[in-house]
Amino acid sequence: MKVSRLYIKIFIAFVAVLMVSESIVIWVVHSGLTGNPHANRIATTLNTVKILSIDTMKPSPAEMQRMSDTELPKVLDINSSKLEHLLRLLATSFKSEIWITDRDGKVVASSFRGSPPETSRLLQKDPLWVKDNILIYKEREDGMKFTYSILPPLPLDRNQFTYHTFSKRSQFEDEAWFLRGQVLLTLLAALFLIPVSRRIIRPMKKLTSIASRYGEGDFSQRVKVKGRDEVAALAASFNDMADNLEKLLKGGKELTAHMSHEIRSPLTRMRISLEMLKEKYKRGDIFSSDKYIHDMEEEIDRMDFLVEKILQFSKMDMRTKPPMEDRVNIANLILTAIERYKTTAERSGLKIKPELDEIILEKCNVYAIRTLLDNLLDNAFKYTEKNGTISVKLADHHDKAYIEVTNTHQPIPESELSKLFNPFHRLKGEDTPGSGLGLPTAKKIVEIHGGKLSAHNTKEGFTIKMELPLK
């Protein structure tokens, strides 16, 4: 089984965190910030022994009444043997030797047979800890750790016994057990991290595979999104990116195809005019050649106009926004644009109905807004029926400028309305000259300024509705 690099990184990070946490725990324990657990264990042991010894060695009131002074010590001896049995059990549990001495230092009960352990050299030092009247001495020698603790009687105690514990163990025995537990935890983590890392790596590998397909030009692949974690969010963002890339690529191909078609037509007509012109010159008929020269000039002007529109559209398609530092009066811009179309309106008998409020647009690009209005009005004047009406409305509502441009026109099929904003799209049956880039350019300008643009069929005719945020 091949071990992935991500698994190794996760495992190394886990071990590093484990080592740091172990170091902090050991430091906290040895610094005494939370109390010493070893001292707490010794205090618990000695207090337990004290309570058991008092209950075990004390005769009951009935025994005290029927026994003489000479018989009482025998009862104490008998109870001491019971106590020693308990002490041996406690010594086994706490891994320490335990014994009790009276006020003269004589051993009353113990967990061992024979003399108590040698503790004189430990008593020559100051106690390492003093807890609840318990004195704890500690010494390290030859890789061993010796701990001796004493619980002397309090002045008001009726029971004047002293309680002792002594332990001898390897110097790092507690630490060794702690480290063994950590090693076991590390091994278990290494085992259980395998399915966790695989769950993380599987969608990553899928993303890598699909990204390679994208590099080959196949944008149809998508990643299945499961769950709501960060990997799922990455997969969702990846799919969104793929959708946008596919749309951009498709749009670029369509744009290239439309451009090729639009430019090929005038080139073909120019080639025909050029061939006809050659024929005229061969026959020496140069006086009737003006028509073909004029046709070629018109085609050149048309190509120049088309290239200008394409450049204009490409600029609007760039990711970088144009400078937004201008402040304009939208009503004035609309009136100026309408003025340029007055001759066209008079020639076709068109009526113009402006209903404009005074609205100031902040933080905009005046060249882009002027281009936007020109494109909308050019579209309206170009496709309005003779003796028709063009109305332009401008109103302010909730910090937004609402603009409606309506021209007299037959209803457009609903399926065609959204396609009007596609580059080079032309309605079927329309023979009006144009580039097919006016409305797409207008839409991009509106979107750059954070607004919306849409097309509708209304009872007055064809309407373009637009909203622009004023701030």
Side-chain angles (χ1 to χ4, degrees), residues 217-315:
D218 180 9
F219 290 93
S220 62
Q221 301 295 316
R222 296 294 181 270
V223 183
K224 291 184 179 179
V225 180
K226 295 182 179 179
R228 297 182 179 179
D229 56 10
E230 288 75 7
V231 177
L234 174 62
S237 299
F238 194 87
N239 288 339
D240 291 340
M241 178 196 70
D243 290 338
N244 292 330
L245 286 174
E246 191 172 22
K247 288 178 182 178
L248 285 173
L249 185 63
K250 184 179 179 181
K253 289 180 178 179
E254 290 179 353
L255 180 62
T256 302
H258 288 305
M259 285 174 57
S260 302
H261 174 73
E262 292 291 330
I263 293 176
R264 185 182 292 115
S265 296
L267 284 174
T268 301
R269 290 191 290 269
M270 286 174 63
R271 184 177 291 110
I272 293 173
S273 297
L274 182 60
E275 292 296 329
M276 296 297 294
L277 193 60
K278 286 180 179 180
E279 290 293 328
K280 291 286 185 182
Y281 271 95
K282 285 181 180 179
R283 293 198 302 264
D285 185 7
I286 61 174
F287 298 103
S288 61
S289 303
D290 292 344
K291 176 183 181 300
Y292 300 107
I293 294 174
H294 177 71
D295 289 344
M296 292 176 68
E297 287 176 345
E298 285 187 346
E299 295 299 338
I300 290 172
D301 290 340
R302 173 169 172 73
M303 287 185 65
D304 185 60
F305 170 78
L306 184 61
V307 170
E308 177 62 27
K309 286 290 184 180
I310 292 171
L311 289 175
Q312 190 182 78
F313 179 76
S314 298
K315 288 179 180 179

Side-chain angles (χ1 to χ4, degrees), residues 353-372:
K353 294 182 178 180
E355 298 178 20
L356 310 176
D357 294 342
E358 289 290 328
I359 297 177
I360 303 298
L361 182 61
E362 307 279 355
K363 298 292 183 182
C364 67
N365 184 277
V366 64
Y367 170 76
I369 296 297
R370 189 179 290 118
T371 302
L372 162 67

